Amino acid sequence: MHSKIKKGWIVVWLLVGLISLALVPVVRWHTQAPLIHSTEGFHNLRAAELLNEPSSLGFIIGRTNPNLYHYALSLLLRVFDNINAVVWFHVVLGLVLVGSAWYTLMKLNLSPKLVSISLGLLIVSPSFVYLFTQPIPAGFGLAMAALGLALLLSPNIEKLWCRLIAALVLILSIGSGLLFLVSALIIVLGVLNLRKFKGFVATVMASATIIFYLLGYHRAIHLALSHPAAIINAIVFDFGGRSGFGFGTLVLGVIGVLFTWKSHKALTTVYLILIAAVLGLFMLNDLSALSLFSVLYVFAGYMVIKLLQHKWVLPALKLTTLILVCFSFGFSWMNSITIGIAASPTPSEGQAIEWLGNVKGEGSVLSAPTYAPIIQALAHRECFPDPWLNSNTAFNRTLSLLYSRNLKHTKQTLKQYNISYILITKKMLSGGVWNSADEGLLFLLRNNETFKRVYEVNGNQVWQVLS
Amino acid sequence: MPKLSHRVLVLFAFLFVFGIRVYFAAQHGTFSSDESYYVLRQAEHIKATLTPIYNDPLSYGGKFVSFLPTYHYIIAGLSFFGSNVLKLFSALVGASIVVVAYLIAADITKHKYLAVLGGLFAGLVPAFLKTSLNSLTPKVLTLVLFFVCVYYVIKIEKARGGFSLLLLFSVLLSLVSPIALLLVLVLWVYSGLLKLQKLKLRSKSFEYMLFLTFLTITFNQLALSKLGLEWGILGLISGVPSSLLKQELLGLSWVGIISSINAILLLLGVYGAYIAVQKWSEKREVSLLLSVCIVFVVAVMLRFVDLTQAVSYLGVTFAIMSVYTFGELVAYIKKLKLRLPGGLLTMLILTLIALPVLGFGLYEANSQAEKAIPNYEIRGLLWLANNSEEDVCVLAPLELGHLVTYFAKRRVIADTNFINSKDIEERLRDIALAYTTPYETNAIEIFDKYGVGYIFLSPRVKNRFGIDKPSYVADAKCFEMVYNQTVQIYKVKCTLK
């Protein structure tokens, strides 16, 4: 009976996971929009493409820090020669995560009900939808770590083939983001209560952070420092995060930690290390930091069960609260799906960028900074600002170009950076960059001696710089 | 002499505060806060179309606004009966804090007569009068509903019923303002404080806490999700630009904060809290009031609420806590073996304490009433509504932003609705520069940038920027005075080519 429940639920969750993950790519594919829709996704895609170029010799020194994930991605592109295959590969990775997490949690003797609900919450989380539909190392590393753990806990680990596969996936996990494995270790050590390993874990965490930092992953430090509340943006999806937790899940998870505190009070040191690691990691990569928080889904699942089991004074209030909880989960999930579907590049933006790719002529393309990696990946043209350089000066120059009404200064800057085309999308015109028709650069475009409109379809425009 | 019932006394206290509010509000036909006119604009739009303005074409040259519209619907409904009813409604809601504070104080201290004084003091907290007198902002109703919920939580903690009413008021609070999220935090901090005392939250309170947590999350997800996703948490915070925040913080120094609560009230409240904490383990509701203080202090530090609003909540909490001090004082007087009748001496001392609180409250009420929008400004703005081009932007300071959009129905560079507004700091700098620059080209550059067609100049504006008029308006080719009463309006005729 017990095994029947297990098998039944895993099939259900794999199916739900598939629906949750496939919804955005299927709708985008149906509307003929590019399946990749995140700046980071395009960035990683371009890195993988560059690795396939003969001149790169496997390195893109000075432009990015390729890790094992990028090599895996470049291999995939070589085999399939289709960027959409990258997205479907990630969907499969998401299912691998669901299956592996199920197996690992069951092996750790958690109740099937708790495992089911926790996985359910994971599947409808904005993080899951984002990480496993976009080419992002965090998703890959997390799936590999989960698979590695599942293999380590499997009875077949005594066999050589299983050990080899486990070693391979764990190396892939480490190579695409060292701290994923460490996070998994902490979770396992925490659950198994192996206190003697705490010192070891702390050492590994410290070394991992230093190595990671030395490798050059020191971005987004300003995020944590700009405002005390800014860090919440990255954690809570409903407050502007790219992925993050739904507000409801986060609240339930925190309540779950508080309610189970007595039973895991002994692990305070482990939790403190985890919190320190997460806060430190936020300065490096917020998506990786979020992955360390994955254990929160188990606590949220625990609280859902508590809510269901608790004998309420007013049963109607119980029902209302449960409906509100479900609504909160569903709302965050729906929002993440809607955002994914409507995100840039839209079908018409994709067409305009494709047109830019086909047009002959040298020079780079100016657009809003969010479009730069998309143009590079889809049109294979140089862009301003160069997304690889990630420089504040270039970013500020772009803003000054987009908002300036000084023709002389604009012409000088365009010449200085060899800009020959300007991509203006419908989103940029309707509040994305400008609010009125004669604001900044739009005012200067009236000058037909300097600018010529060469493309306009569905509100997306391409302007050529004449002199 | 027959002793008056405490219920009659609280009715007198309520009528006194209500009377003060009505008296000062009735002295002027207009409201005292610019924000009231934003509420009125939303209400009028609701009356006309049944929906609030979400895409505001006038604020900041056009932007998306996101908010909980329940209060605006209430005002839209009441506005059918005329503006006097709105003023009465505002006074009624504001004065009702007397009754709510009395109920809480009487419940937790058992000093029913002294609680009347606590209620009266709550109604006269200067910061609360500043936010609420002759004003239509949702902050008034929010504060009252917040303390009504606190009262019912105390009741259910004492297992004395009122659960259905608590649920009703909580739903209403969650629909009116995101401050409901702070009530959730208050409850969680409260349960933490109980834990410290090795006490447990009652089942009903626990269930209520869970219910309210998800209720507020859901309502705010629904109302603010678009804004939250686009702007993040920083957009959802009060959004006050740092330059204004500095001004607010500098303007409200420690002395300012103390006077906003009222120094005497603060002393009485702090001492009351000290007495209450001594009996902490017996009186669990004290922890609830302390939680209110903790949460609002943290909230103001994180800029989730503005300083005046937070001080209002703290002031009302101190007024409630001051009843402990009165109780101690009365008990002390009773112990003294004086020749004077104990009752008379108590009355005398309490009157001596109450008089400065009343005096300061009346002073604040009067100064708030004097801030009512002058009629000559409204006449000037109405002239603009009838004589200017529809898509033009009017140069007016931040404090007059909502007045321009309400009366003149024209675009403004900035108003006090900071959430989801771009380049606030730059806009504020440009407004100041446009009024004060001696250089015509600087001014015209700014006018070109925002499409400004008219300059609004009233005594308030002159006082704000320390000018008689901008020096560049002397150039008659570019600036024409089109309205010249107490207010002057100049038309901008030039652009930079």
Side-chain angles (χ1 to χ4, degrees), chain A residues 109-164:
Chain A
N109 286 330
L110 296 183
S111 80
K113 200 187 260 181
L114 177 61
V115 175
S116 281
I117 293 176
S118 307
L119 277 182
L121 292 178
L122 170 77
I123 286 166
V124 297
S125 70
S127 277
F128 186 71
V129 174
Y130 184 75
L131 288 180
F132 294 104
T133 54
Q134 295 302 294
I136 291 164
F140 179 76
L142 201 60
M144 289 300 115
L147 182 61
L149 273 174
L151 288 168
L152 285 175
L153 291 170
S154 108
N156 289 326
I157 196 66
E158 299 299 326
K159 292 172 187 165
L160 183 64
W161 64 266
C162 190
R163 283 185 192 189
L164 283 174

Side-chain angles (χ1 to χ4, degrees), chain B residues 305-366:
Chain B
V305 286
D306 64 64
L307 197 58
T308 319
Q309 203 179 355
V311 169
S312 305
Y313 283 80
L314 292 175
V316 173
T317 313
F318 283 136
I320 295 165
M321 295 241 219
S322 68
V323 180
Y324 280 115
T325 313
F326 297 141
E328 195 86 341
L329 191 68
V330 170
Y332 181 73
I333 292 168
K334 272 185 189 167
K335 277 185 202 164
L336 292 173
K337 287 172 184 168
L338 296 170
R339 284 184 187 171
L340 276 167
L344 189 67
L345 187 64
T346 310
M347 286 282 281
L348 194 70
I349 291 174
L350 289 181
T351 312
L352 278 175
I353 293 171
L355 274 176
V357 177
L358 292 179
F360 203 75
L362 285 170
Y363 169 77
E364 187 60 49
N366 185 39

Side-chain angles (χ1 to χ4, degrees), chain B residues 142-154 166-167 169-174 177-191 205 208-213 215-216 220 288-289 291-292 295-296 299 305 313:
Chain B
T142 305
L143 182 135
V144 174
L145 283 172
F146 182 92
F147 281 100
V148 169
C149 291
V150 168
Y151 169 64
Y152 279 108
V153 170
I154 292 171
L166 173 62
L167 295 180
F169 286 116
S170 303
V171 172
L172 196 56
L173 176 64
S174 308
S177 166
I179 289 282
L181 284 167
L182 293 187
L183 180 60
V184 171
L185 286 180
V186 165
L187 292 171
W188 283 100
V189 172
Y190 170 56
S191 75
S205 306
Y208 166 70
M209 195 165 79
L210 285 179
F211 165 74
L212 187 67
T213 304
L215 183 79
T216 49
N220 286 288
L288 188 62
L289 293 179
S291 310
V292 174
V295 166
F296 274 91
V305 286
Y313 283 80

Side-chain angles (χ1 to χ4, degrees), chain A residues 229 233 239-240 259 313 327 431, chain B residues 163 206-207 218 221 228 232-233 422:
Chain A
N233 275 5
F239 283 166
F259 269 78
V313 181
F327 181 85
Chain B
F163 200 44
F206 172 68
E207 288 167 18
T218 307
Q221 266 183 329
I233 187 80
K422 283 181 184 172

Side-chain angles (χ1 to χ4, degrees), chain A residues 208-366:
Chain A
T209 311
I210 292 165
I211 292 167
F212 226 48
Y213 192 82
L214 290 177
L215 282 172
Y217 287 84
H218 39 68
R219 50 185 280 257
I221 291 177
H222 64 280
L223 177 79
L225 302 178
S226 60
H227 191 284
I231 210 160
I232 302 171
N233 275 5
I235 300 172
V236 190
F237 166 77
D238 303 274
F239 283 166
R242 286 170 301 169
S243 54
F245 294 99
F247 200 11
T249 317
L250 186 69
V251 170
L252 264 190
V254 173
I255 300 174
V257 172
L258 293 175
F259 269 78
T260 52
W261 185 246
K262 262 188 186 169
S263 57
H264 47 102
K265 208 174 177 177
L267 299 169
T268 311
T269 324
V270 175
Y271 286 124
L272 286 177
I273 292 169
L274 184 65
I275 290 167
V278 169
L279 290 178
L281 194 56
F282 258 110
M283 294 185 191
L284 308 172
N285 189 321
D286 50 345
L287 282 172
S288 307
L290 271 173
S291 307
L292 282 174
F293 267 130
S294 297
V295 69
L296 215 63
Y297 291 108
V298 179
F299 289 108
Y302 170 82
M303 266 323 284
V304 171
I305 294 172
K306 269 272 162 200
L307 282 177
L308 285 165
Q309 287 174 346
H310 181 73
K311 258 200 161 183
W312 289 56
V313 181
L314 279 180
L317 198 64
K318 175 183 181 174
L319 183 68
T320 319
T321 308
L322 282 170
I323 291 171
L324 289 170
V325 168
C326 292
F327 181 85
S328 176
F329 296 151
F331 191 80
S332 299
W333 179 72
M334 278 301 293
N335 259 341
S336 66
I337 297 285
T338 318
I339 287 173
I341 290 170
S344 285
T346 59
S348 57
E349 284 170 0
Q351 280 168 18
I353 294 168
E354 218 168 274
W355 183 89
L356 263 171
N358 295 331
V359 75
K360 284 178 186 168
E362 300 248 313
S364 56
V365 181
L366 167 74

Side-chain angles (χ1 to χ4, degrees), chain B residues 120-139:
Chain B
L120 181 65
F121 284 6
L124 295 170
V125 171
F128 183 49
L129 285 170
K130 195 175 174 182
T131 346
S132 61
L133 195 133
N134 196 25
S135 170
L136 265 189
T137 72
K139 289 173 187 165

Side-chain angles (χ1 to χ4, degrees), chain A residues 379-450:
Chain A
H380 297 101
R381 291 194 75 116
E382 287 298 315
C383 284
F384 187 79
D386 188 339
W388 298 97
L389 295 177
N390 197 18
S391 104
N392 274 339
T393 322
F395 185 76
N396 292 336
R397 280 277 155 81
T398 314
L399 292 188
S400 83
L401 271 175
L402 295 173
Y403 290 110
S404 170
R405 287 177 92 175
N406 184 330
L407 185 64
K408 194 179 161 194
H409 167 258
T410 303
K411 278 168 84 171
Q412 271 174 1
T413 318
L414 290 172
K415 198 174 175 186
Q416 186 187 345
Y417 292 99
N418 190 26
I419 294 165
S420 45
Y421 289 97
I422 301 166
L423 172 74
I424 295 173
T425 65
K426 203 175 168 182
K427 281 186 190 172
M428 287 165 72
L429 289 169
S430 54
V433 175
W434 301 287
N435 283 310
S436 63
D438 58 352
E439 200 180 340
L441 183 66
L442 297 182
F443 176 77
L444 298 181
L445 290 177
R446 293 174 190 171
N447 185 314
N448 50 21
E449 284 171 17
T450 317

